[in-house]
Amino acid sequence: MRFGIISDIHGNLLALESVLEALDAEGIDRLICLGDVVGYGPDPIECLDLVFDRDAVMVIGNHEEAMLRPEIAKSFRDVAREAIEWTSRRMRALRPDLIERIEQLPGMIYLESDLMLVHDSPVPGGRRYLVNEAAAGPAFRGVDTSICLVGHTHLPGCFRHRGDDEEGMVESRSGSPRASVELETGARYILNPGSVGQPRDGDPRAAYAILDLDDHEISWRRAGYDIPAAQARTLASGLPARAAP
Ligand code: ZN
């Protein structure tokens, strides 16, 4: 089974189209989306339609939740809050059916018996950013499969846990472009594909990953797209300038 893994698209349609085109060329069996399809960017409706049309296995992100529960939006920093309020107004006016679909999205999904998907962390209670070993170590408490896929940090990442020791055994590998990691049997992994629409690792190209369960391998990829055009779309839509990729 070969999964295409995407996360944190954030309404960036040009980035998403580029990634889907690359995944089509690579050939995958199923698309996994780890949430935050909306927020920041000008095309949340088009992005959700594309993800749903592809029959992606999807968990809810905190930006989707913020559309359903305004008290979450209030806790966001300014640019994220303004953007999600814009998104929510637009979607409720134009496509209330998408709000209903978002309401149905689960927070956690188990797949293929040994794979779990969640937006931020497998340990419930408060959104967490698994940015380094110190943060990922305790999160392994919640990983009861070999592989846990997360997004949320907008940073490609790989954390490996061997043995029973909670923190000392966690190692990280960065997902540099075209990097891949062979997944060892007996170890557990927290894997992050990075962000399609708003990467925060210094490489502005759209990030995604391919997980091959037969070859026991994950590969991180980048897809280029017209970033100035995406920035112009953000500004033209009346979103805050800082919401642009
Ligand atoms: Zn995000």
Side-chain angles (χ1 to χ4, degrees):
M1 194 68 161
R2 234 166 110 80
F3 291 103
I5 307 166
I6 57 174
S7 190
D8 298 278
I9 297 155
H10 286 299
N12 188 338
L13 180 62
L14 299 182
L16 177 61
E17 285 175 339
S18 173
V19 166
L20 292 177
E21 198 177 305
L23 284 172
D24 286 343
E26 298 245 16
I28 54 163
D29 298 306
R30 194 86 199 259
L31 183 65
I32 288 175
C33 177
L34 300 168
D36 278 8
V37 176
V38 306
Y40 298 121
D43 296 305
I45 291 174
E46 293 77 2
C47 289
L48 273 177
D49 275 340
L50 268 182
V51 169
F52 287 143
D53 284 351
R54 298 267 174 156
D55 197 23
V57 185
M58 179 175 168
V59 287
I60 194 165
N62 57 314
H63 284 252
E64 279 91 28
E65 277 186 341
M67 284 204 301
L68 305 179
R69 294 166 54 196
E71 71 272 18
I72 295 178
K74 286 197 174 65
S75 71
F76 281 6
R77 64 202 168 89
D78 288 353
V79 59
R81 193 188 63 247
E82 278 176 49
I84 204 64
E85 286 170 355
W86 179 96
T87 303
S88 186
R89 275 196 306 275
R90 191 175 168 81
M91 206 169 293
R92 281 169 201 285
L94 300 175
R95 292 289 303 279
D97 60 302
L98 288 176
I99 300 281
E100 281 168 34
R101 285 199 73 169
I102 286 171
E103 281 167 354
Q104 308 299 319
L105 291 172
M108 190 180 280
I109 294 177
Y110 285 88
L111 258 190
E112 295 287 306
S113 78
D114 208 19
L115 186 58
M116 64 191 292
L117 327 177
V118 67
H119 178 62
D120 62 329
S121 165
V123 177
R127 293 290 181 178
R128 290 185 177 82
Y129 289 89
L130 307 185
V131 289
N132 51 31
E133 289 97 327
F140 273 102
R141 274 198 316 258
V143 180
D144 52 7
T145 54
S146 296
I147 300 168
C148 173
L149 301 177
V150 301
H152 194 50
T153 63
H154 297 208
L155 302 169
C158 172
F159 300 99
R160 178 179 62 186
H161 188 289
R162 289 192 285 197
D164 298 325
D165 185 351
E166 187 170 282
E167 314 216 2
M169 305 291 283
V170 176
E171 296 168 289
S172 62
R173 293 280 304 269
S174 84
S176 58
R178 305 295 298 190
S180 62
V181 165
E182 199 179 317
L183 304 169
E184 297 165 20
T185 7
R188 287 179 295 152
Y189 291 87
I190 294 176
L191 304 170
N192 190 324
S195 167
V196 170
Q198 296 262 333
R200 290 177 190 153
D201 61 345
D203 183 341
R205 294 173 300 164
Y208 65 103
I210 292 180
L211 173 66
D212 194 317
L213 291 183
D214 303 317
D215 286 350
H216 307 285
E217 188 183 69
I218 177 157
S219 320
W220 289 267
R221 302 269 204 266
R222 302 307 277 239
Y225 67 99
D226 190 344
I227 294 171
Q231 291 167 337
R233 283 180 77 83
T234 305
L235 296 180
S237 62
L239 282 156
R242 281 179 302 134

